[in-house]
Amino acid sequence: MTLLCVPIFFDSLEQTARDVALAAEAGADVVELRLDRLTQGVALPQYPVPVIVTCRPEWEGGESTLPDGERIALVEAASANARYADLELATLRRHPDARTFLAERLIVSAHDFKGRPDRLANLVVEMNAGGGDVNKVAWMARSIRDNLEAFELLQTRQKPTIALCMGEAGLISRVLAKKFGAFLTFASLRDESATAPGQVTVHDLKRLYRWDVIGARTKVYGVVASPVVHSMSPAVHNAAFDQTGHDGVYLPLLVNPGYESFKAFMESFVPFEGLDLSGLSVTLPHKENALKYLREKGADVEELAASIGAVNTITIDRSDRRLPLRGLNTDYGAILDSITDTMRISRDALGDLRVAVIGAGGTGRSAVAALAHYGATVVVYNRTREKADALAAEFNGRTGRVVAASMDKLCDSCCHVFINTTSVGMHPHVNESPLGERAPKFTPDTVVFDAVYNPMKTKLLRQAEAAGAKTIGGVEMFVRQAAAQFEAWTGTKAPSDVMRRVVEQRLLHSAR
Ligand code: ATR
């Protein structure tokens, strides 16, 4: 079983006792007491959970400035009531005798805060040959692919092993440590008490990333993005897995911008044995890269995703040894279904509608392509008129009519449906609306749809409500596109209400 270890900086016996109790309550199996700030030995009491003692020197990323001899003495004094003690491989090379007082409870560690150690394989060979009981290697991930090397170290371990990547790109090595049978993973008590970059909190590890149910066969999903840290997708999909009992975990996957990075990620992660990568969400800046990659591989791409030029969902069929990939775009379906459900009409009836699409970026493009595909008459309004003209020209006449119009004519538009796909009105600019201050000519049959979800009720939606129009918020679109992804990956109906609740709670929480 992979232990969940909470590191705690030791400042005083009282504070440490409090933090250890909190860690135990939060679900820690073991705590690491970091004695870096001590200058004299301390006798530790018995704590309610097993203890690892460590006094990390500055030269290995810690805070201790003591010379080796004093640090070793400090660890020895504290180790009487400890289950394990951690000493750096570099320290042990100079002081091999330190092993003797730590027999059967020595963690031998090596850290690199700059990147992957040059001689990683040699380090592990040296650790395996030495007298330690647990090997620990941790390094700063330069790219998400470094995690695979950490997983390989775990798969080929000769001793109980901790192999972790630090930094945002290394997060998955911390969560999936359990899947690959690591000796332990670290998680911080609070955001600010993390002892290494990229460490998640115990709360997030257990609640957000489903630590307790992760096993060797758990399927892995994730959102490929850069940046990825603020994505709500992990919370939404993991909640859906919880609700349906699907044996999966959904992770943020930081893949650097550029086609080559995306391709390198796909080529290494999809076939990696034991990872069970089973589905991907794709977002900025990789939606076009995903389409290009799938085409290059000769993979199946949904027709509308191809005509939009963007893939936001990839399925990976692991039941087939060739691991066939498929590219979808769940954004356009989410836009269409939000409208048809609100208007209680079928997709075919969209052909009778005039729809105003505000914005000509990625989301605007999805809306135009989808509505025109079903025969609607679409009017594109955009700040930069040339982009509206180009978008209209591209899709006009395929199935529906698409024209561009000047932004200052928006309020006089006689469309039945208005969709805002620009970022106007998005937090923190909550008092802005694509309509400006003018009262639009809405009727009770008009539908106003804002793809912006933060805030949940934008100024545009407030204007629409005041004019008696029907409204659709961005949360609806976000939840629908996520639900369609869930269904594409699992083949089961998505728990949309649970997913919606998670998004709303997150947005309410961030608004506080
Ligand atoms: P996305 O992929 O989310 O749609 P995008 O491709 O960056 O994002 O597109 C943003 C859209 O919002 C564009 O249509 C942009 O208008 P321009 O083409 O003139 O840049 C529009 N947009 C962004 N900020 C805006 C603002 N302050 N006022 C009006 N339109 C704005």
Side-chain angles (χ1 to χ4, degrees):
M1 187 190 84
T2 302
L3 303 172
L4 174 47
C5 178
V6 171
I8 294 168
F9 266 111
F10 184 103
D11 282 315
S12 68
L13 280 166
E14 297 72 35
Q15 156 267 330
T16 301
R18 271 197 307 275
D19 280 354
V20 173
L22 284 174
E25 207 169 290
D29 302 308
V30 53
V31 293
E32 180 189 43
L33 297 189
R34 288 285 298 263
L35 310 179
D36 310 18
R37 295 170 184 164
L38 292 183
T39 50
Q40 289 177 351
V42 64
L44 297 178
Q46 282 285 355
Y47 289 110
V49 282
V51 168
I52 300 169
V53 287
T54 304
C55 182
R56 191 77 70 222
E58 270 189 339
W59 48 262
E60 183 120 346
E63 296 187 15
S64 178
T65 52
L66 296 177
D68 282 355
E70 288 180 42
R71 266 192 319 109
I72 293 169
L74 205 143
V75 169
E76 183 173 6
S79 69
N81 276 335
R83 177 65 191 88
Y84 289 95
D86 175 315
L87 284 176
E88 307 73 35
L89 181 64
T91 303
L92 287 161
R93 282 182 193 139
R94 294 189 289 264
H95 305 274
D97 294 348
R99 290 175 215 281
T100 47
F101 72 85
L102 291 171
E104 313 224 326
R105 51 199 185 121
L106 175 62
I107 300 175
V108 181
S109 62
H111 306 79
D112 196 324
F113 285 80
K114 292 202 193 71
R116 177 192 177 281
D118 290 337
R119 299 170 58 256
L120 184 58
N122 293 11
L123 279 182
V124 175
V125 168
E126 189 179 346
M127 285 176 172
N128 284 337
D133 303 288
V134 178
N135 295 343
K136 174 185 177 191
V137 220
W139 72 91
M140 183 63 75
R142 299 149 310 171
S143 95
I144 191 152
R145 280 176 294 141
D146 279 15
N147 294 285
L148 298 182
E149 223 172 337
F151 299 150
E152 272 164 11
L153 290 181
L154 293 171
Q155 286 173 324
T156 56
R157 66 186 178 271
Q158 291 179 15
K159 289 184 180 182
T161 298
I162 304 162
L164 293 172
C165 290
M166 296 183 278
E168 194 185 345
L171 181 140
I172 69 167
S173 70
R174 299 179 180 280
V175 178
L176 298 180
K178 194 170 173 201
K179 183 170 167 66
F180 288 96
F183 177 67
L184 61 73
T185 199
F186 293 97
S188 62
L189 201 48
R190 317 171 184 91
D191 271 337
E192 63 281 6
S193 67
T195 51
Q199 220 171 63
V200 293
T201 60
V202 192
H203 182 271
D204 278 355
L205 189 65
K206 286 176 84 82
R207 297 278 164 80
L208 178 56
Y209 296 122
R210 314 194 74 221
W211 174 260
D212 293 332
V213 297
I214 291 176
R217 303 166 88 88
T218 299
K219 294 189 171 73
V220 173
Y221 303 83
V223 52
V224 177
S226 175
V228 71
V229 70
H230 295 298
S231 172
M232 281 196 294
S233 296
V236 172
H237 283 290
N238 284 323
F241 294 161
D242 271 345
Q243 179 67 20
T244 55
H246 181 68
D247 186 12
V249 61
Y250 185 104
L251 299 163
L253 303 168
L254 179 68
V255 175
N256 295 329
Y259 180 66
E260 289 311 318
S261 299
F262 182 82
K263 181 175 178 176
F265 164 78
M266 292 298 288
E267 298 277 292
S268 53
F269 270 64
V270 172
F272 191 86
E273 285 288 333
L275 180 62
D276 302 305
L277 188 67
S278 302
L280 294 167
S281 308
V282 183
T283 186
L284 282 177
H286 290 301
K287 287 185 187 183
E288 290 82 13
N289 294 334
L291 176 61
K292 182 175 171 189
Y293 178 74
L294 293 172
R295 281 203 166 127
E296 208 174 281
K297 297 287 280 184
D300 180 22
V301 177
E302 193 190 34
E303 183 196 336
L304 254 169
S307 78
I308 291 166
V311 159
N312 81 333
T313 309
I314 296 175
T315 63
I316 305 163
D317 182 359
R318 302 210 78 89
S319 67
D320 182 330
R321 289 175 67 85
R322 290 164 300 161
L323 300 174
L325 306 174
R326 179 152 195 268
L328 316 171
N329 187 317
T330 62
D331 285 337
Y332 81 82
I335 294 172
L336 293 177
D337 293 345
S338 298
I339 296 169
T340 53
D341 283 5
T342 303
M343 299 184 83
R344 297 172 194 276
I345 57 173
S346 69
R347 283 191 182 183
D348 290 335
L350 289 167
D352 301 330
L353 297 182
R354 264 177 87 86
V355 183
V357 173
I358 310 162
T363 315
R365 197 178 161 77
S366 297
V368 169
L371 288 156
H373 182 82
Y374 285 93
T377 299
V378 183
V379 190
V380 187
Y381 298 87
N382 192 49
R383 178 177 60 181
T384 311
R385 176 65 193 259
E386 300 78 58
K387 279 168 73 181
D389 288 335
L391 184 57
E394 187 179 341
F395 287 98
N396 186 35
R398 287 196 194 178
T399 38
R401 202 164 105 78
V402 186
V403 295
S406 169
M407 194 73 171
D408 54 17
K409 296 282 190 308
L410 180 61
C411 283
D412 306 319
S413 167
C414 56
C415 285
H416 306 106
V417 179
F418 291 76
I419 310 176
N420 174 42
T421 70
T422 74
S423 51
V424 179
M426 189 187 288
H427 179 83
H429 305 290
V430 295
N431 288 319
E432 290 174 15
S433 157
L435 299 173
E437 298 304 324
R438 287 178 59 195
K441 289 198 294 187
F442 293 155
T443 71
D445 290 330
T446 310
V447 173
V448 179
F449 179 177
D450 201 337
V452 171
Y453 58 71
N454 188 8
M456 284 189 267
K457 194 173 277 184
T458 57
K459 176 157 178 176
L460 172 63
L461 295 182
R462 283 185 271 129
Q463 288 172 308
E465 267 182 12
K470 295 189 183 74
T471 59
I472 305 169
V475 169
E476 198 53 39
M477 178 173 164
F478 184 83
V479 170
R480 283 177 189 266
Q481 63 79 29
Q485 294 184 323
F486 178 95
E487 289 171 8
W489 298 327
T490 65
T492 52
K493 187 158 169 41
S496 297
D497 291 347
V498 170
M499 296 167 93
R500 186 174 293 107
R501 207 159 48 235
V502 170
V503 178
E504 288 172 354
Q505 275 168 359
R506 293 232 147 200
L507 289 170
L508 286 173
H509 186 75
S510 70
R512 268 190 231 136

